[in-house]
Amino acid sequence: MSLFKARDWWSTVLGEKEEFDQGCLCLADVDNTGNGQDKIIVGSFMGYLRIFNPHPVKTGDGAQAEDMLLEVHLRDPILQVEVGKFVSGTEMLHLAVLHSRKLCVYSVSGTLGNVEHGNQYQIKLMYEHNLQRTACNMTYGSFGGVKGRDLICIQSMDGMLMVFEQESYAFGRFLPGSLLPGPLAYSSRTDSFITVSSCRQVESYKYQVLAFATDADKRQETEQQKLGSGKRLVVDWTLNIGEQALDICIVSFNQSASSVFVLGERNFFCLKDNGQIRFMKKLDCSPSCFLPYCSVSEGTINTLIGNHNHMLHIYQDVTLKWATQLPHIPVAVRVGCLHDLKGVIVTLSDDGHLQCSYLGTDPSLFQAPKVESRELHYDELDRELKELQKIIKDVNKSQGIWPMTEREDDLKVSAMVSPNVDSVSQAADVDMGTDLVPSVTVKVTLQNRLALRKAKLSVYVQPPLVLTCDQFTFEFMGIPRVIQCKFRLPLKLICLPGQPSKTASHKLTIDTNKSPVSLLSLFPGFASQSDDDQVNVMGFRFFGGSRVTLLASKTSQRYRIQSEQFEDLWLVTNELIIRLQEYFEKQGIKDFACSFSGCMPLQEYFELIDHHFELRINGEKLEELLSERAVQFRAIQRRLLTRFKDKTPAPLQHLDTLLDGTYKQVIALADAVEENQDSLFQSFTKLKSATHLVILLIGLWQKLSTDQIAILEAAFLPVQQDTQELGWEETVDAAISHLLKTCLSKSSKEQALNLSSQLNLPKDTSRLKKHITLLCDRLAKGGRLCLSTDAAAPQTMVMPGGCTTIPESDLEERSIEQDSTELFTSHKHLIVETPMPEVSPLQGVSE
């Protein structure tokens, strides 16, 4: 928060859900009172024209009813409002209102009211021009050096300048090479129009050149041009600024010189009359509007610049003199004299916050009290520290791993998933071959106990699932807290019933302590046959094309899941365990348990890790090559530009050929980077599925509690996204190393090891794979996962002798790899240890 806030003198909010832009604000003595007091004229895209004359009783007052002089609905959107001498035969000020297809000029007048009713104001239409082309913006001035009146120039959306001499249309000219319209301003000293084209260069056109050029009824050359009777429109001068412009302002404080100010996306420029740069300033924040005005110092100019950080900066040339904070993001800023107060800053936001403020600060009356020096008693401090540590230790023991939540929260979130997929799928734009991708509707309910102001609801699903909308904002609610709600989606959203497969490359066997359950009872919507003999075999076909087969033994209390892809096993395995638990809970059986007694499939898991890491390395190499080719491309461009600017150009020496070849390489490398990113995303999705499967099997293998499984998920499935700068491998390696150093450590020597404070892309995955193997080894030998403070004490570890320590060198890591080879073999040998007969998809399982 800034110390220097804009002092609120008067403010109001215009309308409801109206929109405004930089041309919608103007300050002038529009009713011609002659007392030097400005009025605030505001137009909106909703077509409302409002005129204010603020009279606050005290500083900071809001708008009173008498502050608004006039409010008229003009129906058409108002793009810009200006005040000038727009009516012939008089030098009185009139109001020009620009609509998208019409220009209207009004006179504003007031009538003295009787007694307490106040003055009455009204507008009268003097004349209007219907436009043949859609307008973008306008400027005005004494074009051609006329005296006592102002002419209006309107720029259309297709780059045509239309000049109006008050009540009559003068001419129209197309700007050469115009693609998109830019800001437009008129310089009275040079009698020229200045704009910024879509080529990101400032262009100046003389009014006399525009007036005598060929008429713009047609954009192509006419026969008169070919015969030489007309003049071609040429630019007076140009300056490439390398960025789009937000606004242009011409400042002239004497007749000898004027300055052209251009506000860009990252810089603002001050140019001379001939287009030479007088100075420029690089801005720290993205600007939203600006206004140059006169300075008290000779030869300098002050500039107000508003930005998207709710700040208003005041520069004297390029020196920052003042910074003040605003309550909104300004899109237009003006300075005027209101109620005998000179230099009032008037700002307008895009949602209608109009504020009149001045610069200043509030003095701070607080004085810090003097600190009395006293002697430190270290023995008492040690006793107090030990008592606090004991309290923290007791709290951690009583609360467990996760903090306890209050019984009644201010906001509760619940989700209800429809049991059936939508009759009309919302995934019509997703192409998955011949399969129609289904969709399901989730109803999220928010219940608040207190009156709240604003709330944001975010919904996240794991890839490849997608959402029709992932962000919801409720304007009437809001709390500075985060509430989470998890829900399960139906299995039919991912896969369809499929033909069971007899053979598969990857197989898992899950043991239970209860008799096998009919698969038709567990998966009622996935039965492909009606024969009662086929209740022990079921096939699933994912929308990606892969298949998973589920078999249930009739006598041995076992279930087998098999597939050609290792990562495809997780979803069906997890769904099987959840549905078995729900089935026996409904039966009133509470001692149901699942277990896994086979070998951990680390070899298949490591293959997915290596593939994901290989894609990351490949992506890094491609980005380096792309950066090199981009540097080479820019270097060739600079050389060609030097050749072309030379008055006596030298031969190109095949630089154009080299430029074309480098351009093709840049495009090819960019396509390769994009293709690699898609492959990396798919690989990471497979890796996460395999990680979920490994965590599930470890939990069944060692009978881990829910809190211990949560620790494994936090270590193996980090929350942040997988990127080149910070990827999955180094993050998981750091988390596993921390577990091995703390709760799974054997001695205090291991706890004294320091982990690296920086996470960098590793050279290979050997260290990560060895740490994962060591983690499983520690768990197999009695290790306990916990996050309490007792985990740091070696005597609390429930680990038998012979546990391997954390490797401190490559030699130790090699020994660990040899010791763990017998325990964690390839999961393809699992069939030998837990045999189940191979069956045909049309035959039952019998043992």
Side-chain angles (χ1 to χ4, degrees), residues 557-758:
Q557 303 177 355
R558 292 177 178 175
Y559 300 86
R560 172 173 294 171
I561 308 96
Q562 58 188 29
S563 176
E564 292 294 333
Q565 304 293 332
F566 174 69
E567 63 273 6
D568 294 337
L569 297 174
W570 167 67
L571 189 62
V572 177
T573 305
N574 184 65
E575 194 73 20
L576 171 65
I577 295 175
I578 292 176
R579 297 196 180 201
L580 283 173
Q581 292 172 348
E582 293 175 349
Y583 175 82
F584 285 107
E585 284 179 0
K586 292 180 180 179
Q587 302 294 327
I589 301 175
K590 298 182 179 180
D591 59 343
F592 171 76
C594 296
S595 61
F596 176 71
S597 58
C599 297
M600 289 300 298
L602 294 185
Q603 189 61 36
E604 292 87 340
Y605 185 48
F606 291 161
E607 290 177 0
L608 291 173
I609 294 177
D610 291 337
H611 180 62
H612 176 263
F613 185 75
E614 181 182 352
L615 290 175
R616 286 187 63 193
I617 296 295
N618 189 33
E620 190 177 43
K621 292 179 180 178
L622 288 174
E623 289 181 359
E624 290 178 358
L625 286 174
L626 181 59
S627 178
E628 292 176 0
R629 293 298 182 270
V631 171
Q632 176 179 321
F633 185 75
R634 289 191 292 269
I636 299 172
Q637 280 183 322
R638 285 194 295 268
R639 290 197 177 187
L640 280 173
L641 185 61
T642 304
R643 298 284 179 92
F644 291 147
K645 283 187 175 181
D646 195 355
K647 294 182 179 180
T648 58
L652 296 181
Q653 296 178 347
H654 300 289
L655 283 177
D656 53 344
T657 305
L658 185 59
L659 181 70
D660 182 65
T662 307
Y663 173 76
K664 292 179 179 178
Q665 290 181 359
V666 169
I667 296 299
L669 285 172
D671 293 339
V673 169
E674 186 176 357
E675 182 180 355
N676 187 81
Q677 288 177 349
D678 294 339
S679 301
L680 184 63
F681 177 77
Q682 295 179 4
S683 175
F684 186 59
T685 303
K686 295 179 181 179
L687 179 59
K688 286 198 297 185
S689 297
T691 303
H692 279 291
L693 178 62
V694 170
I695 294 174
L696 177 64
L697 295 180
I698 292 177
L700 297 177
W701 173 44
Q702 292 297 319
K703 295 180 174 57
L704 300 181
S705 64
T706 305
D707 293 339
Q708 291 176 319
I709 294 177
I711 295 175
L712 279 182
E713 291 178 346
F716 280 87
L717 297 168
V719 178
Q720 72 269 10
Q721 298 293 327
D722 181 61
T723 60
Q724 285 292 119
E725 294 78 13
L726 182 61
W728 182 87
E729 286 80 6
E730 54 266 32
T731 307
V732 174
D733 187 33
I736 295 177
S737 300
H738 177 74
L739 292 178
L740 295 174
K741 175 180 173 290
T742 54
C743 60
L744 294 180
S745 64
K746 178 187 175 185
S747 62
S748 59
K749 180 181 178 182
E750 290 185 0
Q751 298 178 4
L753 294 177
N754 292 324
L755 299 177
S756 176
S757 59
Q758 293 184 349

Side-chain angles (χ1 to χ4, degrees), residues 84 140 145 239 283 285 328 368 427 435 541 653 668 814:
Y140 70 95
L239 175 67
L283 303 175
C285 304
H328 55 261
D435 295 329
R541 181 173 63 86
Q653 296 178 347
R814 295 194 191 111

Side-chain angles (χ1 to χ4, degrees), residues 359-407:
L359 304 180
T361 59
D362 287 335
S364 177
L365 303 178
F366 172 76
Q367 292 183 354
K370 295 182 179 180
V371 180
E372 296 181 1
S373 60
R374 59 180 181 178
E375 245 183 81
L376 296 177
H377 301 283
Y378 293 100
D379 294 337
E380 294 181 1
L381 293 176
D382 288 339
R383 285 195 297 270
E384 184 180 357
L385 179 62
K386 290 180 180 178
E387 291 177 359
L388 292 175
Q389 288 178 342
K390 183 180 179 182
I391 293 174
I392 294 173
K393 188 176 180 180
D394 294 339
V395 170
N396 288 337
K397 283 184 177 179
S398 62
Q399 289 188 352
I401 296 176
W402 311 117
M404 301 292 290
T405 58
E406 299 179 1
R407 292 184 178 180

Side-chain angles (χ1 to χ4, degrees), residues 133-134 136-137 154-161 173-184 195-201 203 205 210 216 219 232-233 235 244:
R133 300 179 181 276
T134 303
C136 175
N137 50 26
I154 299 176
Q155 182 179 206
S156 66
M157 294 298 293
D158 55 353
M160 180 181 178
L161 297 184
R173 303 289 185 265
F174 278 107
L175 297 179
S178 176
L179 180 62
L180 294 173
L184 180 66
T195 183
V196 178
S197 67
S198 54
C199 299
R200 300 185 176 183
Q201 62 182 10
E203 300 177 353
Y205 297 92
L210 286 170
R219 303 197 71 157
R232 186 177 181 182
L233 180 58
V235 65
Q244 298 291 345

Side-chain angles (χ1 to χ4, degrees), residues 422-454:
D422 299 335
S423 58
V424 178
S425 176
Q426 301 297 317
D429 55 343
V430 180
D431 185 13
M432 292 293 293
T434 58
D435 295 329
L436 177 63
V437 178
S439 64
V440 68
T441 301
V442 180
K443 181 181 179 182
V444 182
T445 304
L446 304 179
Q447 295 178 340
N448 57 311
R449 186 169 55 90
L450 302 175
L452 307 171
R453 291 181 299 175
K454 189 175 182 181

